[in-house]
């Protein structure tokens, strides 16, 4: 991990097309501005962890028979040209 000290209005460049700006610092919170191409996904770390946990819960509640029936209906619709 690279640790860098920055002040307000200073920036960090990642590669040629990503810039992270220090917008403000208030006690224990830092506001960042991120400029990156639209195709670059930017997510907060805690959001990623939350999504992973929700996915784990969803996997436990999947009914395999319902999933097989859904797949069957989709395949039947493809073969008959229905959407």
């Amino acid at each position: 991990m690279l640790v860098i000290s920055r002040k307000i209005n200073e920036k960090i460049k990642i590669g040629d097309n990503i810039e992270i700006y220090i917008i403000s610092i208030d006690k224990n919170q830092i506001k960042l501005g991120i400029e990156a191409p639209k195709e670059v996904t930017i997510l907060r770390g805690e959001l990623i962890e939350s999504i992973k946990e929700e996915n784990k819960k969803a996997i436990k509640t999947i009914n395999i028979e319902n999933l097989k029936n859904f797949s069957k209906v989709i395949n039947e619709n493809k073969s008959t040209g229905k959407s």
Side-chain angles (χ1 to χ4, degrees):
M1 176 189 318
L2 175 64
V3 178
I4 301 174
S5 296
R6 300 277 76 200
K7 296 178 183 176
I8 293 175
N9 297 323
E10 293 183 334
K11 65 182 175 182
I12 299 166
K13 265 188 92 76
I14 300 175
D16 292 331
N17 54 3
I18 300 174
E19 292 185 345
I20 301 173
Y21 296 86
I22 309 304
I23 304 299
S24 68
I25 302 170
D26 183 32
K27 295 182 183 177
N28 65 346
Q29 187 177 47
I30 299 170
K31 290 188 180 176
L32 303 174
I34 303 170
E35 283 189 10
K38 288 183 180 183
E39 61 271 8
V40 174
T41 302
I42 301 170
L43 296 172
R44 297 185 327 256
E46 65 275 9
L47 180 60
I48 293 170
E49 292 305 314
S50 174
I51 291 169
K52 286 180 183 177
E53 288 302 314
E54 289 299 317
N55 286 343
K56 287 178 186 176
K57 289 177 188 175
I59 288 171
K60 291 178 183 177
T61 62
I62 290 176
N63 180 310
I64 298 299
E65 287 305 313
N66 287 345
L67 189 57
K68 287 179 183 176
N69 290 336
F70 179 72
S71 177
K72 183 179 175 184
V73 169
I74 295 296
N75 288 329
E76 287 172 355
N77 285 342
K78 283 183 181 178
S79 64
T80 61
K82 296 179 183 177
S83 308

